[in-house]
Amino acid sequence: MNIANRCRFCDAPLKYTFVDLGMSPLANSYVKEAQLNKMEPFYPLHTYICNKCFLVQLIEFESPECIFSDYAYFSSFSDSMLQHAKEYVQMMIERFGFNSRSQVIEIASNDGYLLRYFKEKGVPVLGIEPAENVARAAIENGIKTISKFFGARTASELSAEGIQGDLLIGNNVLAHVPNLNDFVKGLKVALKPEGIITMEFPHIMRLIEKNLFDTIYHEHFSYFSFKTVKDVFEFHALTVFDVDEIKTHGGSLRIYACHREDKSRNISNKVNALISKEIKEGLNTLEHYVTFSESVKETKRKILDFLVREKRAGKSIAAYGAPAKGNTLLNYCGIRTDFIDYAVDRSPHKQGHYLPGVHIPITSPEEVKKTKPDYLVILPWNIKDEIMSQMSYIRDWGGKFVVFIPEVRVYE
């Protein structure tokens, strides 16, 4: 484990703070009742900006093996994620012609929520998922899955068995790997000569623009601009030939890459256009990053102002969702059961547990009907429309929805 202050891509010394969110527990380390009176580890949630390659990053305090070996996040419980996956599969088949002779490999494939749509179309699939409990769920759903961490070693083992991808998929995994260079080196090894890689990850430009500081947590080791990702891939002889700006997680990128040696792919105009847009926004200057923390502090003050005012007025407040981003926000702001009575989540894997650090109990959405809170705070704001539709009945008793990010907003 490397806790030296050096950039995980270019190895330059890390001297400048992006934002310091204080001490925080691992965002997906949900607490069981028997653990409530036991010590809970907290780690610095201090992000740095590399002034050489402009990679925003956390230092690795806890290994991926510890964070991801038993994971509480199952993608299939989000209708929005399922719809996003279904549309992606349809688009990729239509654009690139993947069929029964193709091999699709997804890295961090979770419970097989995406690969199942390729399988339904007759395309052979393989999932690589490090969390054994999540991998088991995928296998039970009929998705061939191996439970390993992906990197150059795993890619070489698969390649030795004759397994390489016509399509390598990595959705919301690039940010989760501390050894970034080893991971991208593995992509090079695992890709067929004329294969394609697609990667989706939150865009640092949108994080700054929309004040999405709650998407910073220990499982996310890196936060990327398009230019930085392009530089990382090019360093490992992979060419980024196209990019889409997509709406997931408040604003993400989907990049398309191939081997540098593969000249069959034309470079899209969107590549240079997005780099120009990032430069216009200031993503190539240190100042643009180091001034971010002041807006984060002001958001914290506004959130606490709202909660103090409404609690003093005798209002009851519950939270919908127990996402990692919510745990960052609650711990940074010091919001416990003095402000929020309980949280609800559709996932049975989280129900009966407590949110890490703040120890707000997690129960089923049915609890909302029983207790009729005045406010329901939507912590996974990225799927707020889905949640407001599911929970629309709170308006029957005058209940209101609230989101805290990018700013405090009440929905009647």
Side-chain angles (χ1 to χ4, degrees):
M1 189 187 307
N2 175 29
I3 57 171
N5 275 32
R6 302 196 75 87
C7 176
R8 65 173 39 91
F9 170 48
C10 73
D11 202 41
L14 296 174
K15 305 172 188 173
Y16 300 96
T17 294
F18 176 59
V19 65
D20 184 354
L21 299 176
M23 301 293 287
S24 194
L26 299 178
N28 280 300
S29 57
Y30 298 90
V31 178
K32 297 174 183 173
E33 190 162 2
Q35 299 170 311
L36 285 174
N37 292 324
K38 295 184 178 178
M39 187 183 78
E40 196 173 351
F42 279 58
Y43 304 91
L45 199 52
H46 186 157
T47 48
Y48 293 88
I49 171 69
C50 175
N51 62 318
K52 184 180 174 186
C53 70
F54 295 107
L55 177 64
V56 173
Q57 58 202 283
L58 281 166
I59 295 169
E60 180 189 355
F61 285 99
E62 192 53 85
S63 70
E65 286 78 11
C66 174
I67 294 173
F68 299 111
S69 57
D70 186 38
Y71 205 47
Y73 180 72
F74 288 73
S75 299
S76 290
F77 288 100
S78 167
D79 295 341
S80 300
M81 289 305 294
L82 292 175
Q83 184 60 31
H84 177 70
K86 192 173 185 178
E87 290 170 1
Y88 164 83
V89 169
Q90 187 63 36
M91 180 273 292
M92 292 299 288
I93 288 174
E94 288 176 3
R95 179 174 176 182
F96 297 107
F98 297 113
N99 54 38
S100 60
R101 296 185 301 278
S102 308
Q103 175 67 66
V104 173
I105 301 174
E106 185 180 12
I107 301 155
S109 50
N110 203 264
D111 56 10
Y113 77 105
L114 185 151
L115 290 179
R116 79 188 210 192
Y117 295 115
F118 275 113
K119 188 180 178 188
E120 286 172 5
K121 302 279 189 183
V123 181
V125 299
L126 173 65
I128 302 173
E129 171 53 55
E132 290 183 13
N133 62 318
V134 184
R136 275 196 303 274
I139 293 166
E140 287 165 8
N141 291 330
I143 303 299
K144 185 180 178 183
T145 305
I146 59 172
S147 187
K148 285 188 174 183
F149 283 93
F150 182 82
R153 181 176 176 179
T154 297
S156 296
E157 290 170 356
L158 289 172
S159 185
E161 294 173 26
I163 301 171
Q164 286 181 305
D166 294 284
L167 172 61
L168 297 181
I169 307 167
N171 288 355
N172 301 302
V173 62
L174 198 61
H176 289 74
V177 291
N179 195 334
L180 181 61
N181 286 314
D182 179 73
F183 182 88
V184 181
K185 188 189 292 184
L187 295 177
K188 177 81 176 169
V189 173
L191 188 65
K192 285 185 181 177
E194 294 187 354
I196 295 166
I197 300 166
T198 70
M199 292 268 142
E200 294 181 17
F201 49 87
H203 191 189
I204 189 73
M205 186 171 86
R206 300 300 178 201
L207 187 155
I208 296 170
E209 173 195 319
K210 297 183 179 180
N211 196 31
L212 310 180
F213 71 87
D214 60 339
T215 58
I216 296 170
Y217 41 93
H218 295 103
E219 288 90 328
H220 283 172
F221 294 102
S222 303
Y223 305 81
F224 298 97
S225 68
F226 177 58
K227 173 66 164 60
T228 298
V229 160
K230 187 170 175 290
D231 289 347
V232 173
F233 274 63
E234 285 181 354
F235 182 80
H236 293 283
L238 293 164
T239 297
V240 176
F241 66 87
D242 202 359
V243 59
D244 295 328
E245 295 183 77
I246 56 179
K247 293 179 179 178
T248 54
H249 301 290
S252 296
L253 298 178
R254 177 191 294 134
I255 62 166
Y256 301 77
C258 62
H259 287 290
R260 181 187 292 162
E261 301 81 4
D262 178 5
K263 304 302 181 186
S264 65
R265 311 285 172 195
N266 294 322
I267 306 294
S268 165
N269 293 333
K270 290 189 284 184
V271 170
N272 286 331
L274 184 52
I275 289 175
S276 297
K277 186 193 287 189
E278 288 188 341
I279 291 170
K280 190 176 178 182
E281 287 289 320
L283 264 68
N284 61 335
T285 66
L286 193 60
E287 183 185 14
H288 188 71
Y289 296 92
V290 297
T291 55
F292 176 64
S293 62
E294 202 47 53
S295 64
V296 173
K297 293 172 189 172
E298 182 56 25
T299 301
K300 175 178 178 175
R301 296 178 194 119
K302 288 178 179 176
I303 291 169
L304 292 174
D305 281 347
F306 169 82
L307 290 170
V308 169
R309 183 179 69 247
E310 296 306 318
K311 290 303 282 188
R312 281 186 174 148
K315 303 296 186 183
S316 57
I317 305 173
Y320 188 102
K325 60 170 66 73
N327 294 329
T328 289
L329 182 141
L330 297 173
N331 278 281
Y332 173 61
C333 295
I335 298 167
R336 298 179 176 81
T337 51
D338 47 354
F339 288 118
I340 292 178
D341 301 329
Y342 60 86
V344 301
D345 199 281
R346 285 174 73 188
S347 172
H349 305 281
K350 295 180 182 179
Q351 293 168 12
H353 290 67
Y354 294 77
L355 296 178
V358 295
H359 292 182
I360 294 170
I362 309 167
T363 184
S364 113
E366 293 301 309
E367 188 70 17
V368 175
K369 285 181 180 172
K370 294 179 192 171
T371 63
K372 297 181 169 57
D374 296 301
Y375 291 104
L376 191 61
V377 177
I378 299 174
L379 293 174
W381 43 259
N382 53 306
I383 54 170
K384 70 174 170 35
D385 293 339
E386 174 186 329
I387 292 165
M388 288 167 68
S389 174
Q390 287 172 9
M391 306 296 288
S392 59
Y393 58 77
I394 74 167
R395 296 190 175 101
D396 295 347
W397 61 79
K400 298 173 184 176
F401 296 101
V402 187
V403 294
F404 288 155
I405 301 293
E407 59 186 0
V408 176
R409 183 169 176 188
V410 177
Y411 294 85
E412 300 288 340

